[in-house]
Amino acid sequence: MTSTKYIIGRGELLTYPIAAPGGGGDKAYPYSLQESKARLRPKIAKTIDVLLSLPDAACPFDIAVAEVTLHPTFIAKSFFPAAFLRKAGLASVGSKTVRVSPEKDLRKKKKTEESDTTRLFVAGARDSFSALPDLLDSLRIGSTEAIQFSEIEDFAAYQAEEKMRGMGNYEGQYFEVGLHLLPDASEESIRSPFFQYAKSLGFQLYEKFSFRAGNMFFVPVKGEKHAVADLAKFSMLRVIRPVPKLRSHVPVVRTNSIRTPFITPVAQPLSSEPRVAILDGGIPDVSIISPWVNRSFASDATAASVPNYVDHGLAVTSAYLFGPIAPGSQAERPFSYVDHHRVLDAVSDTEPPMELYRTLGHIEDILLSHQYEFINLSLGPALPIEDTEVHAWTSVIDERLSDGNTFMTVAAGNNGQNDVASGNARIQVPSDCVNAVAVGAADRTGSNWNRASYSAMGPGRAPGIKKPDLVAFGGSASEYFHVAGADLTPNAIPNQGTSFSAPYVLRTAVGVRAVLGADVHPLTIKALLVHSADAHPTSAAHEIGWGKAAEDLNKIIICSDGMARIIYQGSLVPGKYLRAPVPLPKGTIKGKVKLTATFCYASPTDPQDSAAYTKAGLGITFRPHSQKFAHDEAENPKSRTFFPQSEFKTEAELRNDLGKWETVLHASDSLLGTSLHEATFDIHYNAREGGMNAKDAQSIRYALVLTIEAPKHTDIYDEIMAANDVLVSLQPTVSVPIRS
């Protein structure tokens, strides 16, 4: 009998650093210096007039903010106009992505078209803006400042009406404000003048609910809607919008629905090692799930529980412990114990809409404690994401997850049946976190599945286009997701929602950790789930992300005949190149080979720079054959397109595809076995900050999963192991559960 072949570990021991390849040629510019001066001088004059007309109280220390839009050819970090801004006495305080039709376009297009580009928010004293015309006169052809000035497509004041979002028919009085902070200046230098200005307009500020994320400061305010336009004149104000409500936590199917008996598991959890938490509305003091709940906490012990929130918390925790319960059958054995943190309570019900910020504070405290490897969050603001701004919830959570040590699932939202064209069906905050796993819902278990109609859709905001990351069974009218009820006898209640698909994915992730042990890092588990997901043959990526998460652990951790799966877990040094060899047999592989690769990394973020949100990016080059070169003088073997971004030449085009700033890359390629010889992936870690080259970037953690499939080479697993003696088969630390 053939022994079971488990995934192969220690791929990182095969890697080694390499020298950087040679650079490209000179860059062509659409505008000469004289053309740029002629184009932009009147726009700069208009900007100065607008900024000088602002109330003095709205310009702390006489600082104003303008918008500098870069030509789409020059949005890579190497083209950031740092020298020009420094010469002008201006500083970038943020950015966003916009679409423009440049007056000239030198890229390979038949005509000038709309393209993504970066719009910088630049701050400086109004005197500095007033001095710009004289600065233009002093620019000389060939100087760095002149070259960078020629990269600018547009120049304008950042006006109040651009800062106001989602006002529409809103008649409430609660608004959230995002403020830019100045580089190398204290938070107080902007916060205090804004508070004074806001109070002068009659606004009440809720300072205890304020948050700082990166160089953004978020604070909720209360005031009259007619005064918002004046408040938005404050120069360092980035965005103001109505405070959203928290998503509804009333179960989709009421708890008085038909209950059906089930049998609770007899065995203890598969492993006691994984540290897992559910952040939700609380659970009953005693319930059917109590034997598997390690501890239950209340973020605010002085507040009472709310029945609807407790029902939701119980259902979500049940979904994690057992997955979907089959009525009349025994529930699946839990993979681990779990802690439940009640972050919603009676005060949440009595303080709307401030519960949004209070709840985020509870969540941040738990993340800051670094107690858990695995966390689920099935709540958040009832707010679809937008492309130009990053919400406080997303900013705070991403920042706390940026070390890559926590696997966190976030429910994508149940708004998928809303209007698509308006954006109201898009994933909801904070499922746009690049360091978390956003989970949508599939309508059934097994292979004959589709996106559940209620499941929120992508795309996400670039970077982070592929959202939701995954879908999993979340229930539907044709097949409900049954969860444990609050009765003290085992009864299952039908339900549906992404609130349940998210902890179901977390259950699978913890299952991998429980079986393979602590040697498999949470970031690697994220890569494994993406790698093994079932991509629907007809559904668009913006509906299901990378696909439906595997429901059977064996699909993730076991290699069948003619297949080998290898994991790499390591760190990357900014600016350096790492070569990752593809483990192959010593001889030629028989027949055709399918190579599948998934790269995953955790990234620090810049919330003020939605156009450059992730501060880390990977440039990856696949070289299939070490003896084949593009030309005689080539230093490195010939590359072959693997990940889609290799087909594009400008970063603007990358943002419409899988760009190098995406934290997950996944693709497959089919080749003849004879075309593979000492194949490698060359990995380059790019680091940026504020959209420009980073000065003091830190190393980041990465995970790579490779699967080599060669149906005609049935012994490929054993031959790879024999040819690469540093690799090991990752044997289970516990008995692998057999799925019925």
Side-chain angles (χ1 to χ4, degrees):
M1 181 177 177
T2 305
S3 61
T4 303
K5 297 178 174 66
Y6 292 98
I7 59 175
I8 299 167
R10 298 187 184 174
E12 65 276 6
L13 296 181
L14 299 172
T15 66
Y16 55 91
I18 59 172
D26 293 335
K27 189 77 172 180
Y29 282 75
Y31 311 117
S32 67
L33 176 58
Q34 289 307 114
E35 285 178 308
S36 292
K37 288 181 179 180
R39 290 178 59 252
L40 296 176
R41 193 182 294 274
K43 296 181 178 183
I44 290 173
K46 183 177 179 181
T47 299
I48 294 169
D49 289 342
V50 173
L51 298 183
L52 292 177
S53 70
L54 291 173
D56 290 345
C59 300
F61 308 102
D62 205 41
I63 293 170
V65 176
E67 300 173 327
V68 173
T69 304
L70 302 180
H71 188 281
T73 306
F74 302 104
I75 59 176
K77 64 185 176 70
S78 57
F79 296 111
F80 191 91
F84 172 76
L85 294 179
R86 185 166 52 249
K87 184 81 171 179
L90 306 175
S92 174
V93 293
S95 67
K96 65 180 180 181
T97 299
V98 295
R99 291 190 68 79
V100 300
S101 296
E103 291 182 22
K104 282 187 181 180
D105 198 342
L106 298 182
R107 292 170 298 164
K108 296 178 181 179
K109 294 183 177 182
K110 293 181 180 179
K111 61 179 182 178
T112 300
E113 299 176 354
E114 271 200 345
S115 301
D116 283 351
T117 191
T118 297
R119 177 166 292 164
L120 303 175
F121 298 103
V122 298
R126 286 190 282 188
D127 284 348
S128 296
F129 285 104
S130 297
L132 281 175
D134 291 337
L135 174 61
L136 299 192
D137 291 337
S138 70
L139 293 178
R140 294 293 177 260
I141 295 174
S143 68
T144 301
E145 293 84 358
I147 291 171
Q148 292 180 353
F149 179 69
S150 297
E151 298 167 3
I152 295 173
E153 178 65 28
D154 202 2
F155 202 108
Y158 189 30
Q159 308 246 33
E161 54 267 24
E162 298 178 71
K163 306 176 185 181
M164 298 184 292
R165 302 298 178 82
M167 297 300 169
N169 297 322
Y170 180 71
E171 297 300 332
Q173 294 182 304
Y174 293 92
F175 305 91
E176 55 184 8
V177 170
L179 297 171
H180 282 131
L181 299 177
L182 289 169
D184 304 319
S186 69
E187 178 183 304
E188 185 63 25
S189 65
I190 298 301
R191 181 177 59 180
S192 181
F194 173 72
F195 282 12
Q196 293 177 26
Y197 182 70
K199 288 175 182 177
S200 73
L201 296 174
F203 284 89
Q204 177 183 351
L205 296 111
Y206 294 87
E207 187 174 3
K208 71 174 182 177
F209 295 123
S210 62
F211 285 92
R212 177 172 181 171
N215 278 334
M216 290 287 292
F217 178 75
F218 298 93
V219 61
V221 302
K222 180 183 179 182
E224 299 298 328
K225 182 181 177 181
H226 65 77
V228 168
D230 286 330
L231 185 65
K233 291 179 181 178
F234 189 81
S235 63
M236 299 300 287
L237 190 146
R238 166 73 171 265
V239 63
I240 181 168
R241 57 196 161 206
V243 172
K245 297 179 180 179
L246 278 170
R247 303 179 202 170
S248 172
H249 281 76
V250 177
V252 176
V253 180
R254 303 285 179 171
T255 53
N256 59 4
S257 299
I258 297 175
R259 290 164 161 76
T260 52
F262 72 97
I263 303 167
T264 56
V266 176
Q268 293 298 305
L270 194 64
S271 173
S272 60
E273 289 186 4
R275 294 171 286 118
V276 187
I278 305 294
L279 316 185
D280 214 276
I283 55 176
D285 293 335
V286 180
S287 69
I288 287 299
I289 70 170
S290 292
W292 300 279
V293 176
N294 191 28
R295 296 172 297 178
S296 179
F297 299 94
S299 292
D300 183 351
T302 65
S305 295
V306 176
N308 278 339
Y309 295 166
V310 172
D311 289 341
H312 190 268
L314 174 63
V316 169
T317 308
S318 168
Y320 165 70
L321 289 170
F322 311 128
I325 298 170
S329 301
Q330 186 174 66
E332 296 282 349
R333 179 184 182 183
F335 290 134
S336 76
Y337 293 98
V338 65
D339 287 353
H340 188 105
H341 287 261
R342 189 194 71 186
V343 296
L344 293 176
D345 50 41
V347 176
S348 305
D349 260 4
T350 59
E351 283 195 343
M354 291 304 113
E355 83 273 13
L356 192 76
Y357 302 94
R358 179 172 170 270
T359 303
L360 178 56
H362 295 333
I363 294 167
E364 184 180 29
D365 288 343
I366 296 164
L367 294 176
L368 282 169
S369 72
H370 300 290
Q371 296 181 69
Y372 300 104
E373 299 170 279
F374 301 92
I375 295 176
N376 180 78
L377 183 67
S378 288
L379 55 88
L383 181 69
I385 68 162
E386 57 178 308
D387 290 319
T388 56
E389 303 296 340
V390 182
H391 194 271
W393 272 60
T394 300
S395 304
V396 169
I397 292 173
D398 255 338
E399 184 176 2
R400 301 308 174 202
L401 298 177
S402 63
D403 60 5
N405 291 325
T406 305
F407 182 105
M408 184 174 186
T409 45
V410 179
N414 299 331
N415 53 306
Q417 291 174 306
N418 290 351
D419 179 62
V420 174
S422 66
N424 287 326
R426 289 180 78 177
I427 59 168
Q428 294 186 319
V429 173
S431 58
D432 54 335
C433 285
V434 295
N435 292 320
V437 179
V439 183
D443 61 356
R444 63 187 68 221
T445 54
S447 59
N448 188 25
W449 61 276
N450 290 287
R451 178 185 66 89
S453 59
Y454 57 79
S455 181
M457 296 181 281
R461 178 181 50 254
I465 284 286
K466 203 83 153 194
K467 292 287 183 177
D469 294 274
L470 297 165
V471 296
F473 176 59
S476 64
S478 59
E479 184 181 352
Y480 285 114
F481 194 117
H482 285 82
V483 295
D487 305 324
L488 294 180
T489 54
N491 283 308
I493 297 172
N495 224 314
Q496 54 183 313
T498 59
S499 284
F500 313 113
S501 60
Y504 190 24
V505 168
L506 189 75
R507 170 182 161 81
T508 302
V510 174
V512 174
R513 165 66 174 82
V515 171
L516 297 181
D519 288 342
V520 181
H521 192 269
L523 192 64
T524 307
I525 295 174
K526 178 179 177 180
L528 281 167
L529 262 61
V530 169
H531 192 83
S532 57
D534 176 18
H536 196 282
T538 59
S539 294
H542 73 272
E543 293 191 30
I544 61 167
W546 298 109
K548 185 185 180 191
E551 295 167 337
D552 183 356
L553 288 183
N554 292 336
K555 182 181 177 182
I556 303 172
I557 65 176
I558 293 178
C559 300
S560 57
D561 289 344
M563 166 189 168
R565 178 166 293 162
I566 306 99
I567 62 172
Y568 301 63
Q569 306 177 110
S571 60
L572 299 170
V573 178
K576 302 299 183 181
Y577 287 77
L578 186 73
R579 178 158 285 174
V582 177
L584 297 170
K586 288 184 177 179
T588 302
I589 299 176
K590 303 170 189 174
K592 291 185 177 180
V593 179
K594 180 182 179 182
L595 180 62
T596 302
T598 304
F599 281 90
C600 187
Y601 64 95
S603 176
T605 54
D606 266 335
Q608 72 278 4
D609 285 288
S610 61
Y613 182 57
T614 50
K615 297 170 74 170
L618 301 187
I620 300 169
T621 304
F622 176 52
R623 304 187 191 279
H625 201 293
S626 66
Q627 303 304 311
K628 294 183 179 180
F629 295 83
H631 50 82
D632 292 342
E633 290 76 28
E635 296 180 0
N636 288 295
K638 186 178 180 180
S639 64
R640 173 186 171 98
T641 296
F642 196 93
F643 293 103
Q645 74 270 25
S646 302
E647 301 173 1
F648 301 98
K649 303 303 179 186
T650 71
E651 203 159 336
E653 288 166 315
L654 292 184
R655 291 179 182 178
N656 292 325
D657 201 80
L658 295 179
K660 61 185 173 186
W661 303 104
E662 300 285 335
T663 56
V664 178
L665 293 171
H666 172 76
S668 297
D669 195 6
S670 294
L671 309 94
L672 290 174
T674 54
S675 66
L676 287 172
H677 178 71
E678 297 178 340
T680 63
F681 285 94
D682 292 352
I683 311 164
H684 177 215
Y685 164 24
N686 293 278
R688 63 183 177 182
E689 186 169 9
M692 68 184 88
N693 285 309
K695 296 178 181 178
D696 301 307
Q698 302 297 311
S699 296
I700 60 168
R701 184 182 290 274
Y702 81 95
L704 165 61
V705 181
L706 292 180
T707 295
I708 305 161
E709 296 175 87
K712 293 184 178 181
H713 203 120
T714 55
D715 294 332
I716 193 169
Y717 182 100
D718 294 328
E719 292 184 21
I720 285 175
M721 292 295 291
N724 300 273
D725 56 7
V726 300
L727 301 179
V728 297
S729 176
L730 297 180
Q731 297 298 309
T733 59
V734 297
S735 298
V736 179
I738 305 299
R739 190 174 180 86
S740 57

